[in-house]
Amino acid sequence: MDPIRSVYEDDPDMLEIVREFAVELPARIAKLEAHLAAGALRDLQTLAHQLKGAGGGYGFPQITELAASLEQALKSGADAPVVKDRTRSLCELLRAVVVPEAR
Amino acid sequence: MNPEVPNPNRVLVIDDSESIHKLVVARLRPEGLEVLGEVDGERGIERAIADQPDLILLDIGLPNVDGFEVCRRLKEHPATRSIPVIFLTGTADTESKVRGLDLGAVDYVTKPFDQVELRARVRAALRAKRLQDILEQQSHLDGLTGLWNRRYLDQRLESELNVARRYGRPLSVVLVDVDHFKRVNDDFGHLFGDIVLQGIAEGLRAYARRSDIVARYGGEEFAILLTDTNLRAAMYVSERLRSSAESRHFEARTEIVSVTASFGVACTEDLAAELTPEALVKAADLALYASKDSGRNCVHLYRSGELILSTGNPLALGSE
């Protein structure tokens, strides 16, 4: 997957918090994978909900989009393979996020 | 506490996601807003009561107590009722929006929010809040003098009396009446009478203490509520106010006119009757009439049924 960058990287008001958000993503990926493995669907849904709400605000509309589709699957009680698939896509996307350089 | 300009605006964010807090801070700081944050509904309500923000951004999907319940409680509590609430919602469904608005929220923003939209909605809510505050304050102000009006004084008297009773603290009331005001009106006209009232009001406000509540009680009568103040201290304040009124001069055409005022003072500690707003005002009124009867331009104190002329000297009150 191509690397993805925040659309707000060049906004001086945003740079610092976009960096923090990107730096913390590996920890979120680990949590997503752990909840998936443990079948903790409620926790998985909470994480998806939070990423949906924050992603676009930090300049990553793709994160909002994929997190929303995972949340939707969990809300509607979709089959396990669907949930697994969407969680993995989300994690893959999060791994592609580039941490912007501090200026 | 007298009418004042409000402080810079503060926004309280109640959202369980730290990422959202940081985002709101980054987006609202350039607007010159101070952003406070809580991640939990219960704590959010407590914070709103304690810190009195100008606006609350409230997440609907909070764990434990959800945003709808938090909003309902904020709108129920007298201390937070008038603070506008904007819902932050992750779900864009009409039902949630309608439910939020019906609970008293002024607006909603869907997450992820567009920064321009967030700022515009926040600005609009703050503008409406400011107008609402001005209206509320104006409904408590006297148009001619800019002092508090009688309605506000009556409300405060009631609540301050409760405080005084509960904590056993003294509360004093001073009634002030401009001497021979009818004559001033007759001799120089009502417009001049208004100028005199404004001047006297200005003097009362300038020479009262910061914590004193100065009101126009009606006509040429003023009332001052002195919290945490015993009879002796209220007497000092009254003497100071009396001499400031006496030394004020007004120019009427070619004449220099000076007016005086009479004062009546009563304190909860020296009330013979039971502690009610009416009894306290009645006692101050009796003292005021004693001042009128004994030649005006003086201060009388009501003390356990007796009316004592103040000489400005604490010995007049005996040792305390």
Side-chain angles (χ1 to χ4, degrees):
Chain A
M1 180 177 265
D2 291 339
I4 59 169
R5 315 189 70 100
S6 165
V7 298
Y8 298 135
E9 250 183 60
D10 296 327
D11 181 341
D13 291 340
M14 291 296 290
L15 178 64
E16 196 186 324
I17 68 165
V18 169
R19 261 184 67 79
E20 280 175 32
F21 182 77
V23 164
E24 285 164 8
L25 283 180
R28 298 220 201 201
I29 296 166
K31 272 194 191 165
L32 284 167
E33 287 175 336
H35 291 325
L36 180 68
L41 297 186
R42 269 200 72 93
D43 293 335
L44 194 59
Q45 190 176 327
T46 303
L47 276 182
H49 180 79
Q50 291 182 348
L51 281 167
K52 180 186 78 172
Y58 282 86
F60 302 105
Q62 315 92 313
I63 294 180
T64 289
E65 206 176 305
L66 287 196
S69 103
L70 173 59
E71 187 192 23
Q72 192 47 45
L74 288 158
K75 252 190 192 167
S76 61
D79 293 342
V82 176
V83 170
K84 199 171 162 182
D85 195 46
R86 292 188 182 181
T87 308
R88 285 190 171 158
S89 308
L90 179 60
C91 289
E92 195 188 337
L93 177 75
L94 297 182
R95 281 197 189 90
V97 168
V98 178
V99 177
E101 281 157 35
R103 274 166 229 186
Chain B
M1 195 197 93
N2 286 310
E4 268 166 27
V5 184
N7 293 321
N9 287 316
R10 291 186 308 166
V11 178
L12 171 63
V13 182
I14 309 176
D15 193 301
D16 62 319
S17 159
E18 291 285 353
S19 306
I20 296 297
H21 284 260
K22 289 180 190 164
L23 200 52
V24 172
V25 170
R27 290 316 195 184
L28 295 187
R29 212 173 16 205
E31 291 279 304
L33 299 171
E34 187 186 332
V35 182
L36 317 170
E38 288 294 342
V39 291
D40 165 277
E42 296 281 358
R43 302 263 310 266
I45 294 170
E46 284 167 26
R47 188 78 185 270
I49 294 169
D51 285 1
Q52 294 290 302
D54 299 285
L55 173 66
I56 297 171
L57 295 178
L58 177 59
D59 181 26
I60 289 184
L62 290 168
N64 308 321
V65 192
D66 76 9
F68 293 123
E69 175 62 13
V70 171
C71 184
R72 198 186 58 74
R73 280 160 57 180
L74 287 169
K75 291 296 155 192
E76 224 171 59
H77 199 289
T80 52
R81 186 179 295 150
S82 61
I83 304 172
V85 171
I86 295 180
F87 269 119
L88 294 174
T89 149
T91 40
D93 64 296
T94 307
E95 198 196 325
S96 307
K97 290 175 188 169
V98 169
R99 194 170 160 208
L101 294 171
D102 281 348
L103 277 168
V106 295
D107 207 348
Y108 58 83
V109 176
T110 46
K111 290 187 285 190
F113 43 76
D114 179 86
Q115 54 148 331
V116 178
E117 182 186 333
L118 175 75
R119 287 180 189 170
R121 290 190 190 271
V122 164
R123 275 198 303 268
L126 288 172
R127 220 162 29 229
K129 169 69 160 51
R130 212 177 122 58
L131 290 175
Q132 180 192 320
D133 287 350
I134 290 171
L135 275 180
E136 188 178 328
Q137 196 178 59
Q138 278 179 352
S139 76
H140 290 149
L141 292 181
D142 173 59
L144 178 68
T145 61
L147 295 179
W148 295 114
N149 62 19
R150 176 159 184 172
R151 180 150 55 122
Y152 181 77
L153 186 98
D154 285 343
Q155 280 173 19
R156 283 296 295 267
L157 177 57
E158 180 103 31
S159 61
E160 293 300 339
L161 201 56
N162 285 333
V163 173
R165 228 179 279 152
R166 190 169 329 130
Y167 300 103
R169 295 209 292 246
L171 172 71
S172 293
V173 167
V174 176
L175 289 182
V176 186
D177 193 89
V178 180
D179 296 329
H180 299 300
F181 185 68
K182 192 180 175 307
R183 201 184 293 164
V184 172
N185 268 336
D186 290 347
D187 291 355
F188 304 100
H190 288 277
L191 237 59
F192 184 76
D194 284 351
I195 291 169
V196 167
L197 289 177
Q198 285 168 337
I200 295 289
E202 198 183 303
L204 292 178
R205 185 159 47 191
Y207 287 91
R209 301 164 307 176
R210 252 189 95 73
S211 59
D212 298 336
I213 297 149
V214 185
R216 180 164 178 220
Y217 207 56
E220 68 270 29
E221 201 169 354
F222 300 90
I224 305 157
L225 213 54
L226 303 90
T227 55
D228 267 317
T229 305
N230 63 20
L231 195 64
R232 180 196 295 240
M235 173 184 79
Y236 285 134
V237 173
S238 302
E239 283 294 350
R240 191 167 68 210
L241 298 175
R242 189 198 57 75
S243 74
S244 90
E246 183 183 39
S247 56
R248 198 166 267 270
H249 300 289
F250 300 92
E251 281 179 47
R253 292 178 219 118
T254 56
E255 267 180 86
I256 300 290
V257 179
S258 55
V259 296
T260 59
S262 298
F263 290 70
V265 188
C267 175
T268 50
E269 287 182 339
D270 302 271
L271 212 58
E274 74 176 298
L275 280 186
T276 62
E278 296 76 21
L280 191 58
V281 171
K282 177 95 197 322
D285 205 37
L286 286 171
L288 171 61
Y289 271 85
S291 292
K292 290 281 183 193
D293 284 344
S294 59
R296 301 182 171 84
N297 191 20
C298 61
V299 177
H300 271 75
L301 315 168
Y302 178 96
R303 196 185 189 194
S304 313
E306 272 183 281
L307 299 169
I308 305 164
L309 170 68
S310 150
T311 55
N313 177 350
L315 293 175
L317 285 176
S319 56
E320 272 177 51

